[in-house]
Amino acid sequence: MWEKFQEITREKVGKTAFEVWFASIQPKSLEKGKVVLEVPDKFFKDWLETHHSEVLSSTLKELGLGDAFSLEVNPNLLGEKTKKVFRKIHAKFKEEPSDSLRLNPRFCFENFVVGASNRFAFAASQAVAEAPGKVYNPFFIYGKAGLGKTHLMQAIAQRVLKKNNLKVKYIPSERFTNELINSIQNRTTEKFREKYRDIDILLIDDIHFIGGKESTQEEFFHTFNVLYDNHKQIIMSSDRSPKEIPNLEERLVSRFCWGLVVDIQPPDLETRIAILKKKTEKEPIKIEEPVLRFIAENIATNIRELEGALIRIMAYSLIENKPINLELAKEVLKDVVKEKNKKIDVDFILDKVAEYFNISKVDLKSKKRTKNIVLPKQLAMYLLRELTDYSLPEIGGFLGAKHHTTILYAYKRIDEKLKKDEKLKNTLNILKQKIYN
């Protein structure tokens, strides 16, 4: 059965793409409707889910196993030779903590590539680092994953530590929540409060995760007040603006907006090329600009994915002992890159959603609320917000919704479901692939 799966997949994606992305996949369970596949690392998992869900789903369906599947990480899948190559490459890109603050030494201002999409956030971050607690307090950075929020936060922390004798605490919000829970269980809440209130700078990454967590919000509210009243610097990052964080108390929303709120947008082409050049300037492997430009033109989502594409090309070059040129880059990335300058319009997205769910585009635009229409309509709203620049009222107009709050509700509902529902996540990835391809 597995040999047949590999044979069909190789025919669909070609020999090179198969060797790069699929050869290392191993089956953990091939039970119909409960297929579990193992991949060697998280990057493989994320890349396959984003770019190859449709290939995996359709092949499993052809074999009578259904189209639902999940991916799990098993680092023991790669051969020793390949492991060595990947260790060598990943060592230059790793984000391991270097001290008790868990700061990555690579995340400094000097290594941050500035472009139109992040220039204001960069300048504001430098200003905060130069005068913590005096300008832009609190300082709130938001943007989608992989755009440099964590880099800027850690750059501020490292600049402050280098220049001042101040107490700095950097922590992801989930760890803040876990430490709070442990302190309640162990009756050490006073010690917990002292830890986070007797400091000069508090940096909380991914603050949106406290949405809906009442005890964490209550504790953070009082911590925020103590620090702010004592003119201590508070810095936060999120994947969305304060007003868009679901289930966040209004009193916190207003406080998060007291200082400066800045966003980071996906980098433009010139910035993406500059980022790739920065990543390769210390590499022993020479990579010509046409190759970097090809990667930058076709990987436009975020910096992590850009970096990931570069790593895979370098790895394939070393494993196969082939020089890195434009031909090799096109081979490695041919099944995942988006068509250059492809414009995604509203009707195209609606066509693909309607086609996938076997309904009509008229149904998507109607006011019907039957069971077979609700989910496709919510997914269409979610995709239009994710993949286009239209405003909420404009999206509502396309889909017959009178109020923009309908679109916002659908978006939040799908966003929440995606955190728990693997099948929905697979469906969304397949729809994105159909749209991009």
Side-chain angles (χ1 to χ4, degrees), residues 341-353:
N341 296 328
K342 181 173 182 178
K343 182 176 174 62
I344 304 173
D345 64 15
V346 173
D347 283 330
F348 187 78
I349 292 174
L350 298 184
D351 282 337
K352 292 300 177 185
V353 173

Side-chain angles (χ1 to χ4, degrees), residues 19-22 24 40-44 47 75 77-94 283 307-320 332:
E19 292 300 328
V20 174
W21 303 109
F22 295 88
S24 58
D41 63 22
K42 189 176 183 299
F43 179 79
F44 262 96
W47 194 277
L77 295 180
L78 291 177
E80 196 52 42
K81 177 190 172 186
T82 308
K83 278 183 183 178
K84 285 180 181 177
V85 170
F86 275 85
R87 276 198 295 268
K88 182 180 176 183
I89 295 172
H90 279 293
K92 293 183 172 60
F93 294 87
K94 67 179 180 180
E283 293 295 329
E307 188 176 277
L310 177 63
I311 289 173
R312 295 299 150 173
I313 289 171
M314 290 167 62
Y316 188 76
S317 166
L318 288 169
I319 292 167
E320 298 295 322
V332 173

Side-chain angles (χ1 to χ4, degrees), residues 141-147 149 238-241 262-265:
I141 311 172
Y142 74 94
K144 292 185 178 180
L147 296 181
K149 302 185 299 295
S238 171
D239 66 354
R240 63 201 77 188
S241 70
V262 299
D263 71 323
I264 300 180
Q265 294 295 325

Side-chain angles (χ1 to χ4, degrees), residues 15 42 131 142 163 177 207 299 314 333 351 382 437:
K15 183 176 181 291
K42 189 176 183 299
Y142 74 94
K163 294 186 68 176
T177 299
I207 193 69
I299 307 291
M314 290 167 62
L333 300 179
D351 282 337
Y382 182 92
N437 293 331

Side-chain angles (χ1 to χ4, degrees), residues 5 7 38-39 68 97 137 145 183 208 243 266 299 305 340:
F5 174 90
E7 183 185 326
E38 291 184 325
V39 294
N137 193 26
S183 73
H208 53 275
K243 292 178 181 178
I299 307 291
E305 197 160 307
K340 183 183 174 184

Side-chain angles (χ1 to χ4, degrees), residues 212-396:
K213 296 171 181 171
E214 293 180 10
S215 297
T216 304
Q217 291 190 51
E218 178 72 22
E219 188 62 38
F220 189 70
F221 172 77
H222 293 296
T223 297
F224 183 102
N225 287 343
V226 170
L227 292 173
Y228 187 83
D229 290 344
N230 287 293
H231 307 289
K232 306 301 183 182
Q233 181 70 52
I234 304 159
I235 304 169
M236 296 163 284
S237 79
S238 171
D239 66 354
R240 63 201 77 188
S241 70
K243 292 178 181 178
E244 290 185 312
I245 298 174
N247 304 313
L248 184 66
E249 294 176 8
E250 188 56 43
R251 59 182 180 170
L252 283 176
V253 173
S254 66
R255 279 164 174 76
F256 290 178
C257 296
W258 277 355
L260 179 65
V261 178
V262 299
D263 71 323
I264 300 180
Q265 294 295 325
D268 57 24
L269 176 61
E270 289 73 20
T271 307
R272 295 198 299 275
I273 293 172
I275 289 168
L276 290 171
K277 285 182 177 179
K278 188 79 174 176
K279 299 287 183 189
T280 59
E281 63 184 16
K282 294 180 181 178
E283 293 295 329
I285 303 173
K286 178 71 174 172
I287 303 179
E288 300 296 334
E289 178 148 345
V291 175
L292 299 180
R293 176 170 287 275
F294 172 77
I295 299 170
E297 285 176 340
N298 291 286
I299 307 291
T301 46
N302 63 56
I303 297 163
R304 285 180 201 156
E305 197 160 307
L306 196 67
E307 188 176 277
L310 177 63
I311 289 173
R312 295 299 150 173
I313 289 171
M314 290 167 62
Y316 188 76
S317 166
L318 288 169
I319 292 167
E320 298 295 322
N321 195 26
K322 292 181 178 179
I324 295 179
N325 53 33
L326 193 56
E327 185 181 357
L328 181 134
K330 287 180 177 178
E331 270 299 300
V332 173
L333 300 179
K334 71 176 181 181
D335 292 293
V336 293
V337 296
K338 301 185 187 95
E339 188 181 334
K340 183 183 174 184
N341 296 328
K342 181 173 182 178
K343 182 176 174 62
I344 304 173
D345 64 15
V346 173
D347 283 330
F348 187 78
I349 292 174
L350 298 184
D351 282 337
K352 292 300 177 185
V353 173
E355 178 186 335
Y356 182 83
F357 287 100
N358 198 26
I359 58 177
S360 71
K361 194 160 66 175
V362 174
D363 288 330
L364 283 177
K365 294 183 175 183
S366 72
K367 294 180 180 178
K368 291 180 184 177
R369 295 198 55 80
T370 52
K371 191 175 179 181
N372 68 318
I373 301 295
V374 173
L375 178 61
K377 193 162 187 172
Q378 288 182 339
L379 279 170
M381 292 174 179
Y382 182 92
L383 286 165
L384 286 174
R385 191 172 186 213
E386 282 286 296
L387 305 181
T388 74
D389 294 323
Y390 289 110
S391 66
L392 294 176
E394 286 172 327
I395 294 171

Side-chain angles (χ1 to χ4, degrees), residues 59-71:
T59 305
L60 291 169
K61 195 171 183 179
E62 285 178 43
L63 295 172
L65 297 172
D67 59 0
F69 69 92
S70 61
L71 300 176

